[in-house]
Amino acid sequence: MVTPGHLAGPGNPDVAFDELFETCPTWSRWHVYDETSQALHERLTARIELDHEAAEGPRWTIADYRSPVDELAWRATFCVQTPVEIVTAVVQHLTFGLDSLSPAAGEELLWGRRPYADAIRAALDDAEEPWQQDSESGLWCRPDGTAAITMAAPQPGSATTLWGGPSGNDQGRWMAVFSADTPTGLILTALGEVIEPLPAVREFGQIPEAHLDHVQIVRSARRKAAAAPASAPIGPLAATSHAAASAAAGRATPPPRHR
């Protein structure tokens, strides 16, 4: 068990991808190549791509299109160092929205009731230790310096960038980038994983060496999906996400994440 989980390293993306089809059954394998695997939601507009061979840049891409044959609506990418728990939490939240019993419930779950900037600031202000904003760069930083977010500006081509890693070590950072039209709920889900990070299960060799001085490690009796193939299911959404899903979508509440 590695605490905090957002510094645990990427884990095993191949296993996480395979288990998405168990935890999110409305997705199916679409195209599978030697270098990449893709999943398609039953609505035919949302797609997930995993680049197995990525050495740098995006490993995961989650995207939605305006119709099965139309232009891109939004895209979220996650670099090779991003913990799989962050990616799967975003996929699960997206799935709750897409699978909602009514379009209105799905829209509320994905977009929320607050404007984008207000929702992000509220999440940062409600943190146990509120994040601080740099007046020059606009960057909002976790108090211990191990994560930060830059919000998208109200202009075409702007994006929200979330990163995590050891304080003062740029090379050890992971990065998630959300295009300007990405649903606010997905960004809040990823942000929640670094505002209140849960422990992550890893094999010891999976933890980046640069992170070892910044984490606590406790031997675990169980091996989960993020650590090894003989594993338990991917962890469910953060408490805020499954509460929203229960209220907005009217569906069964997923198991809570125990802290």
Side-chain angles (χ1 to χ4, degrees), residues 126-252:
D126 290 344
E128 186 172 343
E129 295 184 48
W131 290 32
Q132 304 298 316
Q133 184 180 30
D134 182 270
S135 58
E136 294 184 3
S137 66
L139 185 76
W140 290 85
C141 192
R142 183 181 158 93
D144 62 6
T146 63
I149 185 170
T150 302
M151 291 190 285
Q155 60 190 41
S158 182
T160 297
T161 301
L162 175 68
W163 61 256
S167 178
N169 183 352
D170 295 353
Q171 299 300 318
R173 291 178 179 173
W174 55 261
M175 183 173 295
V177 180
F178 304 86
S179 69
D181 294 323
T182 302
T184 304
L186 304 186
I187 299 173
L188 289 174
T189 296
L191 180 60
E193 296 289 320
V194 296
I195 288 179
E196 297 184 54
L198 296 176
V201 180
R202 297 286 188 271
E203 294 293 330
F204 186 80
Q206 293 178 321
I207 307 169
E209 185 175 353
H211 295 200
L212 292 176
D213 291 338
H214 303 271
V215 299
Q216 295 180 346
I217 303 172
V218 178
R219 183 181 297 274
S220 173
R222 299 181 64 187
R223 299 169 65 185
K224 296 186 178 180
S231 56
I234 296 167
L237 292 175
T240 53
S241 296
H242 81 253
S246 178
R251 300 174 65 87

Side-chain angles (χ1 to χ4, degrees), residues 11-19 29 37 50-52 60 84:
N12 192 321
D14 295 335
V15 172
F17 183 85
D18 288 341
E19 293 199 349
R29 294 181 187 275
S37 293
L50 171 63
D51 185 342
H52 303 281
W60 298 86
V84 295

Side-chain angles (χ1 to χ4, degrees), residues 26-216:
T26 50
W27 293 85
S28 60
R29 294 181 187 275
W30 186 37
H31 290 308
V32 179
Y33 305 104
D34 291 340
E35 297 83 8
T36 63
S37 293
Q38 296 184 12
L40 182 67
H41 188 264
E42 63 181 18
R43 287 194 177 186
L44 305 181
T45 60
R47 303 174 190 177
I48 304 168
E49 180 174 292
L50 171 63
D51 185 342
H52 303 281
E53 303 298 327
E56 57 183 19
R59 168 162 282 163
W60 298 86
T61 300
I62 304 172
D64 191 55
Y65 295 80
R66 303 189 190 282
S67 79
V69 294
D70 207 345
E71 62 183 4
L72 180 72
W74 57 263
R75 175 188 287 119
T77 61
F78 305 82
C79 81
V80 294
Q81 295 298 327
T82 306
V84 295
E85 292 82 2
I86 294 174
V87 181
T88 55
V90 171
V91 171
Q92 288 175 340
H93 193 101
L94 173 61
T95 304
F96 282 125
L98 295 175
D99 296 351
S100 293
L101 298 179
S102 72
E107 286 291 308
E108 182 172 338
L109 183 57
L110 291 175
W111 297 99
R113 298 181 178 180
R114 291 180 173 180
Y116 159 79
D118 292 346
I120 301 297
R121 289 194 181 97
L124 298 174
D125 289 341
D126 290 344
E128 186 172 343
E129 295 184 48
W131 290 32
Q132 304 298 316
Q133 184 180 30
D134 182 270
S135 58
E136 294 184 3
S137 66
L139 185 76
W140 290 85
C141 192
R142 183 181 158 93
D144 62 6
T146 63
I149 185 170
T150 302
M151 291 190 285
Q155 60 190 41
S158 182
T160 297
T161 301
L162 175 68
W163 61 256
S167 178
N169 183 352
D170 295 353
Q171 299 300 318
R173 291 178 179 173
W174 55 261
M175 183 173 295
V177 180
F178 304 86
S179 69
D181 294 323
T182 302
T184 304
L186 304 186
I187 299 173
L188 289 174
T189 296
L191 180 60
E193 296 289 320
V194 296
I195 288 179
E196 297 184 54
L198 296 176
V201 180
R202 297 286 188 271
E203 294 293 330
F204 186 80
Q206 293 178 321
I207 307 169
E209 185 175 353
H211 295 200
L212 292 176
D213 291 338
H214 303 271
V215 299
Q216 295 180 346

